[in-house]
Amino acid sequence: MKFHPMRFDFYLGRAVFGTVLLTWAVLVGLDVVMAFSGEFKDVGKGSYTLGHAAASVLYTVPRRAYTFFPTAAVIGSLMGLGQLAATSELTALRALGLSRKRLSASVAIALSLMTAVMVINGETLAPWAQDRSDNIRASAKSGQSLASSRYSGIWVREGDTFLSAGSGDEQLLPGGGTRLVLNDVRLYQIAEDGHVASLTHAGTVEHGADGWMLHKVRRDTFGERSATRTTAESEKWDSRLDAGALAAGMSKPRNLAARDLRTSIEYRKRNGLDARDYEDIYWSRWFYPVNVLALCLAAVPFAFGSLRSGGMGKRLFLGILFALGFWLLQLFFGRMAGALKFDYRIAYALPPIVMLVVSGMLFRRKSG
């Protein structure tokens, strides 16, 4: 089977590309309209206006596009190939000597290009835009600045130390990069027997390239029958706590990029915290392109069989049925992985395998 681009590759790719884009636009558009209507109840809280609601929802479009792409891909592929099958164009291509595998490869190439764009979007534009959306909502409702609204009421743990911060913001540095500044910070150091060994209060805490720096420090150290207070204008805090873990802790796991999810997983495991929610989303990102291609390839045999007859409604129904069935399989194995505590990589590998095996067994003969 040769994979050199031919004219029919572009023809099939254009047909699938067009129907996938159309389906995608409809699904994302409906979701955006529903999300915007859901914001009406919050209009009037603080300084949150209809303009803030519109901006907040528009910033979520990249994330919504990433989420709905697998569904749009399978529905759009079935609709595009079904149209070609209904007009006997697929039959004509088969008569020219093209195998079913070769035609499926043409569809897979077109979908791979779109999937690659979505993977990049899911790791770059979507998390940034979602963060902007969250900041707009929080700042308008609370009246705080965009930056400080992202970090407020922070509680994190690093080893035997618990950190509490009233607020914080990220500052852009002149030479590039960012610096995290936390305000009204308290560090609680817990001894092995569970009592508070020391309480450190810092007016501000900065995190940059050189690590953590405490400013305007007041430390109370508690002995068995005594307490000692020391002060310092500034001092270095040796900690493995990463600024990215703070940012990730303030956002839902599904809104984070894979690198931020990995940082959160390492932080939680290092401190003995449950990281399975983050592992679930993290491995779903890795299997995202595999799921899209497997789902669409599993549906391709329909185009050579049952989609030769029937209208748009039949193709739409089959597309929704495939997408729903795959989602239920993924949900089932994901919940099983969470309950039985086995590797999420196995849970996310099983649904595409099951879909491909069942599709191949059922339609090997019928699709010729």
Side-chain angles (χ1 to χ4, degrees):
M1 184 171 56
K2 298 181 179 180
F3 289 94
H4 300 296
M6 304 290 287
R7 182 172 297 180
F8 69 86
D9 288 316
F10 293 102
Y11 184 75
L12 285 174
R14 186 171 64 249
V16 171
F17 193 83
T19 51
V20 169
L21 282 182
L22 179 62
T23 307
W24 200 6
V26 171
L27 291 176
V28 175
L30 288 174
D31 192 51
V32 167
V33 171
M34 293 176 63
F36 182 63
S37 63
E39 293 294 315
F40 290 166
K41 66 181 183 299
D42 293 330
V43 173
K45 294 181 179 179
S47 59
Y48 194 65
T49 64
L50 200 61
H52 288 116
S56 175
V57 172
L58 287 176
Y59 270 117
T60 65
V61 169
R63 177 184 62 79
R64 298 177 192 278
Y66 179 89
T67 302
F68 280 100
F69 176 69
T71 303
V74 66
I75 295 177
S77 298
L78 281 173
M79 292 177 67
L81 292 175
Q83 183 62 35
L84 295 177
T87 56
S88 300
E89 292 177 81
L90 287 183
T91 303
L93 290 174
R94 292 293 307 279
L96 292 175
L98 297 174
S99 67
R100 179 165 46 90
K101 293 181 179 180
R102 184 64 181 87
L103 295 176
S104 299
S106 301
V107 176
I109 291 171
L111 291 174
S112 295
L113 296 176
M114 301 178 71
T115 304
V117 173
M118 276 299 97
V119 170
I120 296 173
N121 166 63
E123 296 303 314
T124 55
L125 180 59
W128 173 84
Q130 182 64 47
D131 182 62
R132 293 286 299 173
S133 173
D134 294 339
N135 284 339
I136 289 174
R137 288 171 53 88
S139 61
K141 291 179 181 180
S142 65
Q144 299 176 353
S145 64
L146 286 178
S148 62
S149 66
R150 178 179 177 182
Y151 300 96
S152 59
I154 302 170
W155 278 93
V156 294
R157 175 189 175 185
E158 179 58 36
D160 61 355
T161 302
F162 291 82
L163 180 148
S164 169
S167 63
D169 61 81
E170 287 181 332
Q171 300 176 354
L172 295 177
L173 299 177
T178 60
R179 176 176 58 192
L180 175 63
V181 179
L182 302 178
N183 304 309
D184 191 19
V185 177
R186 288 173 173 80
L187 300 173
Y188 301 87
Q189 185 178 9
I190 308 300
E192 293 183 358
D193 60 1
H195 78 271
V196 179
S198 67
L199 169 60
T200 303
H201 178 268
T204 58
V205 176
E206 297 181 358
H207 181 272
D210 299 329
W212 294 93
M213 287 296 297
L214 310 180
H215 301 284
K216 298 182 179 179
V217 183
R218 185 183 71 241
R219 178 176 292 107
D220 296 317
T221 304
F222 304 102
E224 186 176 351
R225 295 173 177 269
S226 63
T228 305
R229 170 169 292 184
T230 57
T231 60
E233 189 62 27
S234 62
E235 65 178 45
K236 186 177 179 61
W237 179 37
D238 294 323
S239 174
R240 296 176 60 190
L241 180 64
D242 187 83
L246 291 178
M250 303 300 292
S251 302
K252 295 180 180 179
R254 66 185 179 89
N255 296 336
L256 299 174
R259 61 182 181 276
D260 296 326
L261 288 168
R262 188 63 196 173
T263 300
S264 298
I265 292 171
E266 292 173 352
Y267 158 74
R268 288 174 173 270
K269 286 185 175 181
R270 189 169 65 244
N271 290 281
L273 303 175
D274 186 12
R276 296 191 66 81
D277 288 345
Y278 291 84
E279 289 180 332
D280 186 2
I281 304 299
Y282 177 74
W283 288 114
S284 73
R285 297 294 177 81
W286 282 99
F287 280 92
Y288 181 87
V290 176
N291 291 339
V292 172
L293 296 179
L295 180 58
C296 294
L297 290 177
V300 163
F302 282 99
F304 299 95
S306 61
L307 290 185
R308 290 173 183 169
S309 61
M312 186 77 69
K314 182 178 181 180
R315 298 165 199 145
L316 182 61
F317 172 76
L318 285 175
I320 294 175
L321 188 63
F322 257 87
L324 182 61
F326 186 82
W327 177 78
L328 289 175
L329 270 177
Q330 199 172 60
L331 183 65
F332 171 75
F333 286 117
R335 293 292 184 268
M336 289 290 291
L340 302 180
K341 299 187 183 303
F342 62 85
D343 200 323
Y344 277 104
R345 286 171 287 190
I346 299 176
Y348 279 103
L350 287 175
I353 293 174
V354 171
M355 292 291 289
L356 288 174
V357 170
V358 172
S359 179
M361 291 176 58
L362 291 177
F363 302 105
R364 184 187 308 171
R365 295 179 180 178
K366 291 185 178 181
S367 51

